[in-house]
Amino acid sequence: MKEFLVVDNLSKTFKLSAKQRKIEKTESKRKVAVNGLSFSAREGEIFGLLGPNGAGKTTTLRILATLIKPDSGDAFLNGKSILENPGEIRRKIGFLTSELKLEEFFTPNYLFNFFSALHGIEPERRDRRRKELFGIFGIDDFAEVKVSAMSSGMKQKTSLAISVVHDPGFIIFDEPTNGLDVLTARVVTDFLAALKAEGKTVILSTHIFSLVEKLCDRVGVIIDGEMMRCGALAEVKAGRDMEDVFFDIYREKKGEIA
Amino acid sequence: MRNIGTVIKKEFARFFGDKRLLFTSCIMPGLMIYVIYSIMGGAISTMINCDADYVPQAYVAYMPDSVRNFFEGEGVILESVAPSDAEAIISRIADKDADICVVFPEKFERETADYDVLAANGKPAPNVEVYYNSSSPPSSDMYGKVMAALDGYEKSIANKFDVNRPEGEAGGGYDLATDKDVSGRVLSSVLPLLLIIFLYSGCLAIAPESIAGEKERGTIATLLVTPIKRSELAIGKIISITVIALLCGLSSSLGTLLSMPKLLGAGGTGELGIQAFYAPRDYALLVIVILSTILVIISLISLTSAYAKTVREASLIASPLMLAVMLAGVSGMFGTESRAAYYLIPIYNSVHSMRGILAFDYLPLNAATTALSNLGYALAGGFALARMFDSERIVFTR
Ligand SMILES: Nc1ncnc2c1ncn2[C@@H]1O[C@H](COP(=O)(O)OP(=O)(O)O)[C@@H](O)[C@H]1O
Ligand SMILES: [Mg+2]
């Protein structure tokens, strides 16, 4: 299968403010969040970036979504550099995280139209797409309700629908089920499976082993911004439990578990 | 380009859809100004006409019988004097010792009866001279009434005479005010600083919400994963904030304009008040200065908002900034410095220019320096803002 996304030696270091140093309990003025990261994801597959908190997953995905720039390295979507064509890349990707919020003042209908306009989607296609997505997520009854008046599950579903207004071929999903109740989490995982069935490419990050085992075709284990192991799920697991495999890798990198 | 329009539409939908925001940031300031100024105007006018039964010192020479009724209809009582005394009275009006003096042509009734517009052949119609002093409220008041009476009379005899013809004997100098200052000074001393305060708080109600608010709530990141360019987002934001702030400025200005007659016309010169005072050029300059000031204030607060992580932080930074703005404003209020270079200092220049224009004491060059330098600062601020939107800090900060 074709390598749809190629990540090549990405690095990102953050400067830490005095306040951040206090929170992170460190003297160092810099934090290496991503350190020479390389991997690739194949078309029509779900790639899982697995790692503990602070491993650099979010930073990596933000770089891929062109929200922040790497200090060095690059990534190529279908052969196109994300650094050289950020606008074009954003046209082709959908990016979802629980930190991306919708303006509470507006209704799903308004926001759907607004984001469709930013993606340059004609009204006719937009309305077809709305019918489809609002149906999948059960938003129809809430289409004219302000986001501020919706439950958090409903907000998440609306975000989901809006992040794929443009029917992207490549979807980036940071901690897809974090903070969701079980029902909404189920809607999300079903949606990811459906995307894969449609032939889309998905890259997600998580610290939940079962999610990787259930959904992913390939997995990359990331610790301290470095890629420790990367390959097909079965290959990485080698017949064992994902959790056990992960902690072996973790011990290998950090010594004993703190 | 289209994305800029989309952003602007969204910002407008947000602002105009929120009745409370619209009211507190746009409508209330204008209303407040109107109420405050009207009360102030009332207070000033009672201060000036302290005794209610003030008898105006009003005089007339050669009063024709046919006109008397019209004067009585307006409640104008004029004391007849000999024409030879008029000279002395006129100089008393200039000193505000007397209020008004009307001088009819000696044979007014016959001249008007004989006057035929068509047959006149450029021969001027009889001219009635009305001497008054616009800087004295009772005099302005009487002037209004006398004009109303003469107007009524003139209509009744089909426009056969003139009042205060510019090329008449007095050469246009019927208004004997040596200083229009009185009212101008009142205005110029209260208006500029108040206006700055209202403009500043108006902008403060809009810009931090629109910029720092979107950062704080994480909605800006949602926007930035669409194909929109960051500069487009910045421009869209600046334009919509500017338009909204201008509307709010308009509301403040409207409140000011509507209350001006009350502020100026201490004693009922009402409608006459402003028109008689400021020339169209003064108004135009005033508006230009105000608009350029709004632009400066917007870029200041927008930059603050882009720097801050939360709305709270933005307003926190904006308060010492407000103090600095007030300081510049106050020094503009009392500063006597009129060298051109000083008109390059933002806010100081605005207040100084507004004060000058309102007090009839300004150099057009300085007003232009003010407007142009403000425009320059606003442009620089806009560029800086676009740069800030390009940095990562605009999306995720910790
Ligand atoms: N904007 C930032 N400023 C400073 N440090 C940051 C910033 N973003 C992330 N970091 C740091 O980089 C490291 C990786 O963070 P992140 O990518 O969020 O990890 P993960 O998503 O895997 O939990 C963490 O130590 C985090 O504190
Ligand atoms: Mg994370």
Side-chain angles (χ1 to χ4, degrees):
Chain A
M1 241 185 238
K2 209 171 95 193
E3 297 205 322
F4 198 66
L5 171 77
V6 177
V7 176
D8 180 25
N9 205 15
L10 278 187
S11 291
K12 177 77 181 177
T13 300
F14 290 108
K15 286 194 200 86
L16 296 181
S17 66
K19 207 166 124 201
Q20 285 168 334
R21 285 205 292 276
K22 225 182 205 164
I23 294 167
E24 305 253 328
K25 296 198 181 70
T26 171
E27 300 286 292
S28 156
K29 292 198 166 146
R30 297 171 165 276
K31 167 79 199 179
V32 180
V34 176
N35 194 359
L37 203 68
S38 298
F39 64 94
S40 54
R42 294 184 187 171
E43 188 162 16
E45 286 191 354
I46 299 183
F47 183 98
L49 211 49
L50 178 68
N53 263 347
K57 304 182 295 292
T58 299
T59 305
T60 305
L61 297 188
R62 283 176 183 169
I63 292 172
L64 294 181
T66 75
L67 279 172
I68 58 179
K69 290 198 180 80
D71 301 330
S72 65
D74 199 349
F76 302 87
L77 191 74
N78 242 341
K80 284 229 163 74
S81 157
I82 62 162
L83 292 181
E84 281 165 26
N85 319 288
E88 200 180 318
I89 296 296
R90 286 199 298 271
R91 227 174 274 284
K92 292 181 182 149
I93 63 167
F95 182 55
L96 250 166
T97 88
S98 53
E99 14 161 78
L100 296 195
K101 297 286 178 1
L102 298 174
E103 271 190 79
E104 302 248 311
F105 180 78
F106 294 114
T107 64
N109 265 340
Y110 186 92
L111 291 166
F112 197 89
N113 292 349
F114 174 63
F115 283 98
S116 296
L118 289 181
H119 279 287
I121 299 168
E122 296 83 47
E124 200 184 306
R125 205 183 123 210
R126 175 194 72 198
D127 292 339
R128 246 184 298 128
R129 187 86 182 129
R130 186 205 322 265
K131 221 172 156 196
E132 186 185 332
L133 288 169
F134 280 20
I136 293 176
F137 294 109
I139 299 171
D140 288 318
D141 292 344
F142 296 84
E144 282 299 330
V145 175
K146 280 189 183 179
V147 173
S148 57
M150 300 198 308
S151 69
S152 64
M154 211 59 209
K155 282 181 195 170
Q156 183 70 15
K157 289 182 199 169
T158 308
S159 287
L160 223 54
I162 281 170
S163 68
V164 293
V165 279
H166 52 308
D167 199 10
F170 183 63
I171 288 109
I172 302 173
F173 216 146
D174 193 15
E175 308 270 10
T177 58
N178 244 20
L180 298 183
D181 68 275
V182 287
L183 293 176
T184 318
R186 180 67 194 220
V187 172
V188 170
T189 49
D190 284 352
F191 183 59
L192 286 173
L195 286 173
K196 185 190 157 181
E198 279 175 39
K200 316 254 191 234
T201 307
V202 177
I203 173 167
L204 60 83
S205 79
T206 187
H207 59 268
I208 303 168
F209 306 113
S210 61
L211 194 70
V212 172
E213 292 189 298
K214 196 173 155 222
L215 277 177
C216 297
D217 301 293
R218 285 161 72 81
V219 60
V221 177
I222 175 174
I223 297 173
D224 285 350
E226 288 177 42
M227 188 59 86
M228 303 303 297
R229 201 83 95 244
C230 186
L233 183 67
E235 217 174 277
V236 173
K237 279 171 66 174
R240 299 167 61 207
D241 211 37
M242 190 66 233
E243 185 169 354
D244 295 338
V245 173
F246 172 79
F247 281 109
D248 280 353
I249 298 170
Y250 193 84
R251 246 177 251 117
E252 186 186 305
K253 168 85 181 164
K254 310 271 275 191
E256 271 315 296
I257 298 163
Chain B
M1 259 337 260
R2 208 175 51 193
N3 287 339
I4 297 177
T6 306
V7 169
I8 293 175
K9 250 171 60 190
K10 191 236 3 175
E11 294 289 321
F12 283 174
R14 171 77 187 85
F15 183 78
F16 293 108
D18 190 337
K19 302 276 170 329
R20 215 185 53 190
L21 188 61
L22 185 66
F23 182 78
T24 52
S25 53
C26 228
I27 298 172
M28 208 171 66
L31 215 62
M32 291 255 289
I33 289 188
Y34 179 73
V35 171
I36 293 175
Y37 284 11
S38 296
I39 293 172
M40 267 170 67
I44 292 171
S45 67
T46 43
M47 231 155 63
I48 294 175
N49 317 337
C50 35
D51 52 317
D53 37 31
Y54 171 81
V55 181
Q57 308 281 304
Y59 304 93
V60 63
Y62 299 126
M63 172 74 121
D65 290 331
S66 51
V67 187
R68 188 161 285 136
N69 287 337
F70 285 88
F71 279 125
E72 278 164 8
E74 290 290 328
V76 178
I77 296 160
L78 303 170
E79 184 183 328
S80 287
V81 292
S84 54
D85 292 342
E87 196 99 10
I89 292 170
I90 288 167
S91 72
R92 275 172 53 205
I93 293 173
D95 296 339
K96 296 179 193 167
D97 278 343
D99 296 317
I100 199 154
C101 183
V102 185
V103 181
F104 286 92
E106 192 176 350
K107 303 194 171 65
F108 181 72
E109 284 174 318
R110 212 181 59 224
E111 281 178 27
T112 50
D114 290 349
Y115 187 74
D116 179 345
V117 188
L118 296 174
N121 253 341
K123 184 174 152 283
N127 182 37
V128 181
E129 298 163 7
V130 183
Y131 296 91
Y132 69 109
N133 185 333
S134 65
S135 68
S136 145
S139 175
S140 295
D141 187 25
M142 281 304 285
Y143 178 71
K145 290 176 179 164
V146 165
M147 293 309 259
L150 288 174
D151 211 38
Y153 179 71
E154 190 176 19
K155 284 204 184 86
S156 78
I157 60 165
N159 292 337
K160 286 185 173 176
F161 67 98
D162 293 337
V163 178
N164 285 0
R165 192 166 53 229
E167 68 278 15
E169 276 86 322
Y174 302 103
D175 179 358
L176 303 170
T178 47
D179 53 341
K180 293 185 192 177
D181 287 4
V182 182
S183 304
R185 203 165 278 152
V186 173
L187 270 186
S188 67
S189 63
V190 293
L191 199 59
L193 209 54
L194 268 180
L195 217 53
I196 296 273
I197 294 175
F198 277 109
L199 292 180
Y200 193 89
S201 38
C203 293
L204 202 56
I206 310 160
E209 253 313 299
S210 167
I211 298 177
E214 284 223 46
K215 264 173 88 172
E216 179 179 0
R217 291 187 293 268
T219 54
I220 206 163
T222 317
L223 265 170
L224 291 176
V225 290
T226 72
I228 194 173
K229 288 203 192 87
R230 293 179 183 214
S231 54
E232 290 176 323
L233 180 60
I235 294 170
K237 288 265 180 200
I238 296 173
I239 293 178
S240 44
I241 293 171
T242 304
V243 170
I244 293 171
L246 287 182
L247 277 180
C248 298
L250 203 69
S251 146
S252 303
S253 308
L254 214 66
T256 309
L257 281 184
L258 291 178
S259 54
M260 258 189 185
K262 291 217 168 104
L263 205 54
L264 284 176
T269 43
E271 317 88 73
L272 284 171
I274 343 173
Q275 287 98 317
F277 266 59
Y278 297 105
R281 191 182 70 167
D282 298 335
Y283 278 117
L285 273 174
L286 204 58
V287 168
I288 291 170
V289 168
I290 290 176
L291 295 191
S292 75
T293 310
I294 292 180
L295 293 180
V296 167
I297 294 176
I298 283 177
S299 57
L300 257 182
I301 299 182
S302 298
L303 284 173
T304 315
S305 306
Y307 173 80
K309 298 185 187 89
T310 63
V311 176
R312 224 179 80 83
E313 193 185 341
S315 359
L316 223 62
I317 305 174
S319 355
L321 204 62
M322 171 112 176
L323 219 65
V325 166
M326 289 300 100
L327 219 64
V330 169
S331 47
M333 206 67 249
F334 299 107
T336 49
E337 188 54 66
S338 55
R339 257 177 300 167
Y342 279 74
Y343 287 85
L344 292 172
I345 307 170
I347 306 297
Y348 175 92
N349 62 7
S350 302
V351 172
H352 214 297
S353 295
M354 284 193 244
R355 191 184 69 162
I357 294 168
L358 290 169
F360 310 97
D361 177 23
Y362 68 96
L363 297 172
L365 173 72
N366 288 343
T369 309
T370 301
L372 286 178
S373 63
N374 283 351
L375 211 61
Y377 296 131
L379 273 178
F383 275 115
L385 195 67
R387 288 290 303 274
M388 283 182 80
F389 267 66
D390 247 341
S391 104
E392 304 185 344
R393 287 191 42 123
I394 199 78
V395 207
F396 304 107
T397 42
R398 294 228 180 163

